[in-house]
Amino acid sequence: MNILNTTAKIIVSKKRVGRGIGSGKGKTSGRGIKGQKSRSGVAIKSFEGGQMPLYRRLPKRGFNSINKSKIAKINLDQLQTFVDKKRINPDSFINLETLKQCKIINKTYSKFKILANGNLNTKIEIEADFSSITAKEKIEKLGGVLKIKNQK
């Protein structure tokens, strides 16, 4: 019979610096003598001795669009669990506002998309901003209605 980890646990106590010459870390506490690094409260993380630091040598890339809208993604199996838990009424019309009122979608989202992961067993009438083709097929197969906003 093989038992893993049979070695005794080794407990090493923390090194107490600045506690006398006999400790091996006395007087200067292993920091050397004088200089910026021997002082407390000093952080020289990206300083390269006057040379242009790496983060400034590299070019800037990309940007954050101010017009980008946050899109919530909901799968069909998630919709089904909300219907089963009676957080969504399948008989009523479901849209972004109703999902926000039920606290299913965070209020920071301005649009939402329906994805086809999982199965839906309930007939629902829903309005979304976007939808995958298979999600639309699955909803309409059950006799439900999926209306896409801003689509002619």
Side-chain angles (χ1 to χ4, degrees), residues 27-40 42:
K27 195 186 164 206
T28 54
S29 306
R31 286 172 173 257
I33 306 162
K34 293 187 181 175
Q36 190 177 12
K37 289 189 204 165
S38 69
R39 318 274 190 237
S40 66
V42 175

Side-chain angles (χ1 to χ4, degrees), residues 44-111:
I44 326 169
K45 286 185 182 78
S46 63
F47 184 69
E48 297 185 22
Q51 175 177 299
M52 187 61 67
L54 181 68
Y55 70 90
R56 288 185 61 195
R57 288 198 302 261
L58 298 175
K60 292 181 181 178
R61 277 187 53 95
F63 76 106
N64 292 325
S65 174
I66 56 169
N67 299 324
K68 186 178 178 185
S69 57
K70 284 179 77 177
I71 300 171
K73 297 168 198 83
I74 297 181
N75 280 307
L76 291 178
D77 59 348
Q78 290 173 314
L79 280 172
Q80 186 59 49
T81 52
F82 290 131
V83 168
D84 294 341
K85 291 179 179 177
K86 294 186 172 52
R87 286 184 65 186
I88 297 176
N89 183 8
D91 302 329
S92 66
F93 185 71
I94 302 165
N95 59 8
L96 183 69
E97 282 68 41
T98 56
L99 291 173
K100 281 182 180 179
Q101 285 170 359
C102 299
K103 294 189 177 163
I104 292 167
I105 290 180
N106 194 327
K107 61 184 175 184
T108 58
Y109 290 105
S110 57
K111 295 178 179 182

Side-chain angles (χ1 to χ4, degrees), residues 135-147:
K136 185 171 181 155
E137 288 170 359
K138 284 183 180 181
I139 291 171
E140 289 172 350
K141 188 179 177 185
L142 289 166
V145 178
L146 173 63
K147 185 183 171 205

